[in-house]
Amino acid sequence: MSQEIPETIDFTPTWGEWANMFRRFAETGETRAVRELRADLAKAMAAAQALHEIRSTLTEEQAKTVSQTIAAELTKQGF
């Protein structure tokens, strides 16, 4: 059985990993980096609100996936 070797590796951080970077920049006074990431923070918070708005409409399986993902991302952030 042959396996394809990907041409690229996705190093895109998850939102929880991204939050850790943002927090570290904020805690260490890296205001320039924080300013540059404002749009990403806005998108993350908008996505969180959108999920909040539709959560009651999710199937049981979808709600389970959401809960597991939230727990995993919070764990990455030390909670």
Side-chain angles (χ1 to χ4, degrees), residues 22-34:
F22 188 89
R23 177 185 49 79
R24 287 183 188 120
F25 289 143
E27 289 174 348
T28 60
E30 299 288 338
T31 57
R32 186 190 224 175
V34 170

Side-chain angles (χ1 to χ4, degrees), residues 28-44:
T28 60
E30 299 288 338
T31 57
R32 186 190 224 175
V34 170
R35 270 194 302 275
E36 291 296 321
L37 295 171
R38 262 182 79 201
D40 287 330
L41 180 62
K43 289 176 197 173

Side-chain angles (χ1 to χ4, degrees), residues 2-4 7-8 10 20 22-24 28 32 36 39-40 42 45 60 71 73:
S2 76
Q3 294 181 338
E4 280 190 44
E7 292 183 26
T8 61
D10 184 3
N20 279 333
F22 188 89
R23 177 185 49 79
R24 287 183 188 120
T28 60
R32 186 190 224 175
E36 291 296 321
D40 287 330
M45 296 304 102
E60 190 174 315
E73 293 303 306

